[in-house]
Amino acid sequence: MVDPQQTESIKTLMEGIHKNNIYLPEFQRDFVWDVTKTYDLFDSLVRDIFIGSIIYGKPSFEITVREIDSRPRRGKGSRAKLMLKSFSKDEIERLSQINNFRLILDGQQRATSIYRALKGIDEVWLVIKNDDELSEEAQEKDFRERSLEDMLFEFSGREDEDRLSIKLSDAYSISYEELLDDEIKVKFFDSLSYTAGMDELEEKVVFRKYILVARKLIGLYGSEKLLSYYLLNMSTEKFALFFERSNSRGIQLNFIDILAAKLYSGFNLRGKIEEFETDNQGSYYELNREIIVRAIAYIVSDAKEVDKTYILSNLNHEHFNSHWDEVCVLFKKSLDYLYKENIILSQAWMPYENMLIPLMMFLRELNGNDFSQMDQNQQKFIIYWYWASIFSQRYSSGSNEVIIQDSNLLRIVAKKQKITDRIVFSRLKPQIQSYEDVLSYSKKGSVIYKGILNIVNYAADGLKDWSNTSRLSASSKLEDHHIFPVAFIREAYKNDEIALSLTDSVVNRTLIPKITNIRIGKKAPSIYMGEMKNHNQSILECLNNHLIPEEIINGVYDEFYNDFLEERAKMIYDVIKIEIWDQAKQVIDLFYAPPVNKQSGNIKIFATYHRKRKEATYDIDTQKVFYEGAHYSVSSAADKAKEDMTGKTNTSTNGWRFWKYIDEIGQERFINDFREANS
């Protein structure tokens, strides 16, 4: 029997999990969502976009269940065994009647993501827009009246230093613990980077906004109509049929398809895509339509926009007629460079294809649009930026802004200018800080998982095929082969929980052609490698090339799988350390220059709001703003300028993050940056 569709709140879901009234069937697949999908999930919830229904089941039979995955994603406890619990038929009947006991049959990834974010297992931040980033309609509203959707800038894995941010788990704690404002300020607000350097009045205004945003989040958590679900009372046979028949997937309409319809009369986008694919048939170029379109948006918007809204609203057929061919050439040349330098083995295994856009803009600034025109220092920066971006997971959230930031950054490097914003380098801190961290990555969809396989290829100057020692090419159909086969581990290490939990670790993987993988089966490494040695006497050269200890072929590790993992993890970590950690200081020394300290005088400043612009002068000595014939404090001048642009009075603005100036290399910067640089 299926009950009609019903709704519940996030708070109800959380309480059900917390009180052990919601479980998963033991055979459900593991939680596999990358944290970026959690960001998208909450984005959909805030925007009231339907996320699908959760399907609960109340079985009428005995069953073994497991807990919701609350393990850290890496490090200590990440490979702990999830708790299993068996219930008899009578126990299930009693718990269903008294405690609303139920199982999640469909929607595990969504429910688990929500639980992990609100409990703080996964760090998820709501970042809100600054006033000048709001839509005109939202700007007209008082702050209290703005919805979360009005204010939403992005969900991210870290606080945004330039925008007010609140961690989802902090808002949940405020609600759950019923904290007072003073307690909230000490426990959560005072540690925000965004408030650094604010005076007492500015901090008071921002704290008021923080409290209001927290209340709006708490309201979101308590909304009874937020999550939809069905409740199924199921027999054993129906339970099995449900899982057999619930694997279909819908087809989503891509925004590129909508764009193609819009441009059709003046530019046949689908035809151009087909033309590219026909012209490059048999090559290693796989056209990423979104990369090309976003690159055109970046050029047309004068380095300001790459998001879907701008693309669908502002780009027209003339823009595509002007830039399509140029951008396609930049796309192919950038891929050529990555292949030539052994940075990638194939597009399919590239961790972040969006990183092609900054690389294309770098190339566009070079003389002759040719990577051969780089000097040694520029090459060093590009390599460092590429690997550090991957291992810091820089593109995992807020990718539109990151694309723009990095495109602007690489254009500066291409022009051989200095970078004056040191925070650029602090954003490139790798998440892998020890060889133990390397072991924790086991999901193919993980960016760092792919990054590890690629950096091994880079360190080797190109991976070699185990069959014949030839260098693998971009056309090779690659598979992330288990070095210790899965079947072998399950049999030889069936009583070793640590070994079993590390079966799919990236440390036990390497990229080889699929045809090679077919002949390996479930044999011990020493056996199948010994057989391969009969056909390829240089197999040891291949093992060294793949950062695999060569002693493995002699059977040294057959009974010591965990020792093999530790040894190879150290070898991989050494490569990461050499290519990122050890390069950081040298790259900073080469490309960073502190902003020029201007201790006195005036600088021209400006602000944009409601698509209007106001200009003023900032007095460095007095820290006053001269605006429209009068002197004001920085924030008072901002309030006056906003009043003039909107007609709205009684506004309260952090002027240090309202007024901007143009630095010595043409970048727009908030005057708060100037204040910090000259303090």
Side-chain angles (χ1 to χ4, degrees):
M1 177 181 177
V2 181
D3 287 348
Q5 186 180 29
Q6 303 176 64
T7 59
E8 66 179 353
S9 67
I10 287 177
K11 184 178 178 182
T12 301
L13 172 69
M14 293 293 291
E15 288 175 351
I17 297 172
H18 181 68
K19 293 178 180 178
N20 297 321
N21 294 329
I22 297 177
Y23 284 99
L24 296 167
E26 181 274 336
F27 55 81
Q28 270 275 34
R29 66 175 181 148
D30 289 337
F31 175 67
V32 296
W33 267 18
D34 187 87
V35 72
T36 57
K37 290 193 175 182
T38 302
Y39 307 154
D40 291 339
L41 176 65
F42 277 95
D43 186 275
S44 296
L45 290 171
V46 166
R47 298 182 193 279
D48 198 23
I49 297 172
F50 184 61
I51 62 169
S53 296
I54 296 173
I55 299 180
Y56 294 115
K58 285 194 173 185
S60 57
F61 49 91
E62 66 274 8
I63 193 170
T64 298
V65 301
R66 62 178 172 84
E67 62 182 326
I68 301 293
D69 194 339
S70 59
R71 299 173 296 184
R73 288 183 179 267
R74 62 180 186 277
K76 186 177 180 181
S78 60
R79 297 188 295 275
K81 194 172 182 179
L82 291 173
M83 182 196 74
L84 299 178
K85 192 169 185 177
S86 298
F87 291 99
S88 68
K89 180 179 179 180
D90 290 340
E91 286 175 319
I92 286 176
E93 184 177 346
R94 178 177 58 82
L95 289 170
S96 296
Q97 292 175 350
I98 299 173
N99 296 337
N100 193 23
F101 175 90
R102 56 204 187 278
L103 305 180
I104 299 176
L105 307 183
D106 188 42
Q108 178 214 163
Q109 306 297 322
R110 284 163 281 161
T112 303
S113 293
I114 290 170
Y115 180 77
R116 291 172 65 88
L118 267 62
K119 293 296 288 184
I121 301 159
D122 288 334
E123 191 165 300
V124 181
W125 291 77
L126 165 66
V127 182
I128 71 169
K129 295 175 180 176
N130 292 317
D131 282 357
D132 61 327
E133 296 172 321
L134 295 166
S135 67
E136 289 187 15
E137 183 182 356
Q139 288 176 8
E140 292 290 343
K141 300 177 184 177
D142 182 82
F143 191 91
R144 286 176 178 273
E145 298 171 354
R146 293 171 187 164
S147 67
L148 285 177
E149 184 176 358
D150 288 335
M151 297 186 289
L152 173 63
F153 178 74
E154 68 174 5
F155 284 96
S156 176
R158 65 190 74 181
E159 179 197 357
D160 189 325
E161 296 179 350
D162 296 321
R163 296 175 180 86
L164 180 60
S165 311
I166 180 169
K167 197 167 12 173
L168 299 192
S169 57
D170 291 349
Y172 185 68
S173 294
I174 290 168
S175 170
Y176 191 79
E177 300 174 29
E178 299 182 349
L179 299 177
L180 300 175
D181 285 4
D182 288 344
E183 295 172 305
I184 295 169
K185 188 173 187 301
V186 172
K187 191 169 183 179
F188 304 122
F189 179 81
D190 286 345
S191 61
L192 293 178
S193 301
Y194 177 71
T195 62
M198 288 185 181
D199 59 36
E200 186 175 345
L201 178 60
E202 290 170 333
E203 186 173 292
K204 185 176 180 180
V205 170
V206 174
F207 180 60
R208 176 176 168 274
K209 291 183 176 180
Y210 182 90
I211 291 295
L212 290 172
V213 174
R215 288 174 183 168
K216 290 177 187 294
L217 272 176
I218 292 167
L220 180 77
Y221 299 162
S223 173
E224 291 294 340
K225 295 186 177 181
L226 193 65
L227 303 177
S228 67
Y229 70 91
Y230 291 93
L231 184 61
L232 284 63
N233 294 298
M234 309 179 78
S235 66
T236 308
E237 292 78 15
K238 288 182 179 179
F239 198 82
L241 282 172
F242 171 81
F243 280 95
E244 289 175 4
R245 296 176 180 176
S246 62
N247 294 321
S248 61
R249 293 185 179 183
I251 298 174
Q252 291 183 322
L253 184 66
N254 188 286
F255 89 96
I256 299 293
D257 298 312
I258 301 171
L259 180 66
K262 175 188 172 183
L263 299 174
Y264 188 78
S265 62
F267 184 86
N268 188 342
L269 179 57
R270 290 192 186 90
K272 282 290 187 179
I273 292 169
E274 291 172 4
E275 180 183 316
F276 180 98
E277 292 171 344
T278 299
D279 291 347
N280 295 281
Q281 193 170 13
S283 72
Y284 51 69
Y285 303 122
E286 183 177 336
L287 185 69
N288 185 313
R289 305 179 299 170
E290 289 198 20
I291 296 295
I292 303 297
V293 171
R294 290 184 194 277
I296 291 173
Y298 177 86
I299 294 169
V300 172
S301 69
D302 195 22
K304 292 183 177 65
E305 303 285 354
V306 295
D307 66 274
K308 296 177 183 178
T309 301
Y310 174 84
I311 290 167
L312 292 173
S313 302
N314 294 276
L315 295 189
N316 58 45
H317 65 271
E318 293 177 352
H319 298 138
F320 279 80
N321 284 318
S322 298
H323 297 292
W324 177 268
D325 291 339
E326 173 199 6
V327 169
C328 285
V329 169
L330 294 173
F331 176 78
K332 292 201 294 185
K333 284 187 175 182
S334 296
L335 281 173
D336 287 340
Y337 170 76
L338 294 177
Y339 284 124
K340 176 177 173 289
E341 297 297 323
N342 297 305
I343 294 171
I344 61 173
L345 254 171
S346 73
Q347 256 181 280
W349 282 99
M350 188 175 179
Y352 291 122
E353 279 197 87
N354 276 337
M355 290 181 70
L356 282 167
I357 299 174
L359 202 58
M360 290 158 65
M361 296 307 116
F362 172 83
L363 176 61
R364 193 168 186 256
E365 294 289 342
L366 288 178
N367 184 32
N369 304 144
D370 193 332
F371 280 106
S372 67
Q373 299 304 303
M374 281 192 297
D375 64 26
Q376 188 175 12
N377 290 339
Q378 289 171 318
Q379 166 84 344
K380 186 182 291 291
F381 184 91
I382 291 295
I383 299 297
Y384 169 75
W385 163 80
Y386 185 87
W387 292 121
S389 294
I390 289 169
F391 285 95
S392 64
Q393 292 188 287
R394 175 150 168 72
Y395 282 71
S396 291
S397 66
S399 59
N400 289 334
E401 185 178 21
V402 172
I403 288 168
I404 293 169
Q405 288 175 350
D406 282 10
S407 295
N408 294 341
L409 172 70
L410 264 60
R411 289 173 66 197
I412 291 169
V413 173
K415 296 173 184 176
K416 299 186 178 180
Q417 296 172 335
K418 295 290 186 179
I419 300 163
T420 59
D421 188 359
R422 194 173 180 96
I423 199 171
V424 165
F425 299 99
S426 66
R427 289 170 177 156
L428 295 174
K429 185 178 179 181
Q431 295 192 8
I432 290 182
Q433 301 186 32
S434 68
Y435 79 86
E436 289 96 340
D437 289 341
V438 181
L439 287 164
S440 65
Y441 293 94
S442 59
K443 295 172 183 173
K444 289 188 179 186
S446 164
V447 165
I448 293 183
Y449 179 100
K450 292 180 180 178
I452 289 169
L453 295 177
N454 276 277
I455 206 168
V456 171
N457 174 59
Y458 177 74
D461 283 331
L463 292 176
K464 296 181 178 179
D465 190 338
W466 293 10
S467 298
N468 51 28
T469 324
S470 63
R471 197 170 298 279
L472 298 177
S473 68
S475 61
S476 303
K477 294 182 179 180
L478 301 173
E479 188 165 277
D480 51 338
H481 157 68
H482 285 82
I483 300 168
F484 273 68
V486 174
F488 173 78
I489 294 173
R490 287 176 179 169
E491 183 175 333
Y493 294 90
K494 58 187 175 184
N495 296 319
D496 187 336
E497 289 191 8
I498 294 177
L500 291 171
S501 71
L502 291 169
T503 300
D504 294 326
S505 170
V506 69
V507 181
N508 188 36
R509 303 292 194 109
T510 197
L511 292 173
I512 62 172
K514 288 184 179 180
I515 192 169
T516 304
N517 202 16
I518 292 170
R519 296 195 292 266
I520 291 170
K522 61 179 181 179
K523 302 169 185 173
S526 62
I527 295 175
Y528 79 74
M529 289 182 185
E531 293 173 353
M532 294 182 77
K533 188 175 181 180
N534 295 330
H535 302 284
N536 180 15
Q537 292 298 311
S538 300
I539 186 69
L540 291 182
E541 181 183 339
C542 294
L543 296 179
N544 288 321
N545 174 262
H546 285 251
L547 292 184
I548 298 172
E550 62 181 43
E551 295 85 358
I552 194 172
I553 202 169
N554 299 322
V556 170
Y557 289 109
D558 283 358
E559 297 180 8
F560 298 96
Y561 174 60
N562 294 331
D563 291 340
F564 160 77
L565 291 176
E566 181 176 341
E567 180 62 27
R568 189 165 190 249
K570 289 178 179 177
M571 295 167 76
I572 292 171
Y573 176 72
D574 285 345
V575 171
I576 295 170
K577 181 175 180 297
I578 290 168
E579 298 302 336
I580 306 175
W581 289 107
D582 293 353
Q583 296 298 318
K585 184 179 184 306
Q586 187 177 3
V587 168
I588 292 171
D589 289 344
L590 286 170
F591 288 93
Y592 174 70
V596 176
N597 284 335
K598 190 174 182 181
Q599 302 297 338
S600 61
N602 300 322
I603 61 171
K604 294 292 184 181
I605 60 175
F606 66 94
T608 54
Y609 201 70
H610 269 276
R611 298 181 183 175
K612 297 178 182 177
R613 178 184 172 106
K614 290 291 183 180
E615 296 182 350
T617 303
Y618 173 64
D619 189 314
I620 297 168
D621 300 298
T622 64
Q623 293 196 341
K624 296 287 186 182
V625 171
F626 185 71
Y627 171 71
E628 298 292 334
H631 289 92
Y632 302 88
S633 71
V634 172
S635 292
S636 295
D639 291 340
K640 184 67 173 66
K642 282 174 68 175
E643 180 182 340
D644 291 345
M645 288 187 274
T646 66
K648 189 174 181 179
T649 59
N650 299 321
T651 60
S652 182
T653 308
N654 178 2
W656 295 101
R657 288 186 171 86
F658 178 80
W659 294 107
K660 297 178 182 179
Y661 72 101
I662 304 295
D663 70 9
E664 60 272 18
I665 58 173
Q667 295 183 108
E668 289 186 7
R669 304 281 290 274
F670 288 113
I671 60 171
N672 188 61
D673 298 336
F674 182 88
R675 176 174 63 168
E676 291 179 349
N678 290 276
S679 61

